[in-house]
């Protein structure tokens, strides 16, 4: 059986925890596109990659990543975005250069694998970026590689 002193001590401990939680709540600052920094995660799960002059480049959440072969449409990518409640028309498959920015800025937000870019070399080859080392390359479009969508937003 618990004594009165033990119960009183537990109440005091819980009240101290409650005060700490109240302090944290008062200091909580909702992350919006206006106050976000590079690497911050927004409420919808997208990640800020770059901000400049009122324009932000965002990366879709990892949960929307797909593995597919290269195509001009990347239909699987946009279907996955829609499944997760995003408006697919606001998103795009990044260029090789944009993927390199992501590798150099927020590499830990990606798997250590190869990602397709929207950059096409020719009818048979597309450009990719390896997130294990940041190298860009070409490979046959038939290979299934990871794809993450990006979007631009104003603030």
């Amino acid at each position: 059986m618990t004594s009165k002193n033990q119960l009183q001590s537990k109440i005091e401990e819980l009240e101290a925890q409650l005060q700490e939680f109240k302090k944290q709540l008062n200091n909580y600052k909702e992350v919006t596109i206006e106050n976000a920094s590079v690497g911050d995660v927004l409420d919808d799960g997208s990640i800020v990659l770059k901000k400049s002059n009122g324009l932000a480049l965002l990366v879709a959440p990892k949960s929307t990543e797909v593995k597919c072969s290269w195509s001009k449409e990347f239909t699987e990518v946009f279907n996955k975005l829609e499944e997760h409640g995003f408006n697919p028309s606001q998103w795009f498959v990044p260029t090789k250069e944009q993927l390199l920015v992501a590798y150099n800025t927020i590499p830990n937000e990606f798997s250590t694998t190869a990602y397709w870019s929207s950059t096409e070399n020719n009818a048979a080859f597309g450009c990719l970026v390896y997130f294990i080392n940041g190298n860009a390359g070409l490979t046959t479009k038939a290979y299934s590689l990871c794809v993450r969508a990006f979007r631009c937003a104003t603030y």
Side-chain angles (χ1 to χ4, degrees):
M1 182 175 256
T2 307
S3 73
K4 182 177 179 180
N5 287 343
Q6 288 173 318
L7 289 173
Q8 185 62 39
S9 177
K10 190 66 174 171
I11 289 171
E12 290 170 4
E13 182 181 310
L14 290 172
E15 286 175 343
Q17 286 179 340
L18 181 59
Q19 290 304 315
E20 183 58 34
F21 289 144
K22 285 180 179 179
K23 282 182 193 174
Q24 289 177 14
L25 183 59
N26 288 337
N27 292 331
Y28 178 75
K29 184 176 174 184
E30 185 176 341
V31 178
T32 64
I33 193 63
E34 291 80 15
N35 66 21
S37 298
V38 170
D40 284 349
V41 179
L42 301 179
D43 283 345
D44 67 0
S46 58
I47 305 156
V48 178
L49 175 59
K50 188 175 181 179
K51 285 180 74 173
S52 179
N53 300 322
L55 190 63
L57 183 60
L58 307 174
V59 179
K62 185 153 180 67
S63 61
T64 65
E65 183 174 295
V66 299
K67 194 167 187 177
C68 62
S69 55
W70 196 97
S71 74
K72 287 192 183 291
E73 294 83 28
F74 285 103
T75 306
E76 298 95 330
V77 176
F78 300 105
N79 288 342
K80 187 77 164 199
L81 286 165
E82 192 166 35
E83 285 173 22
H84 282 79
F86 292 98
N87 179 349
S89 68
Q90 296 175 342
W91 296 84
F92 60 89
V93 175
T95 64
K96 175 181 69 174
E97 292 76 16
Q98 289 165 330
L99 277 175
L100 288 169
V101 170
Y103 175 80
N104 289 313
T105 309
I106 56 170
N108 294 337
E109 298 295 342
F110 289 80
S111 302
T112 54
T113 188
Y115 283 80
W116 278 125
S117 74
S118 61
T119 308
E120 183 177 25
N121 186 58
N122 59 36
F125 290 88
C127 296
L128 57 92
V129 172
Y130 294 99
F131 270 74
I132 191 137
N133 59 16
N135 290 334
L138 301 173
T139 195
T140 177
K141 293 178 179 178
Y143 286 129
S144 283
L145 302 176
C146 289
V147 183
R148 284 274 281 287
F150 285 34
R151 77 179 178 103
C152 291
T154 57
Y155 63 93

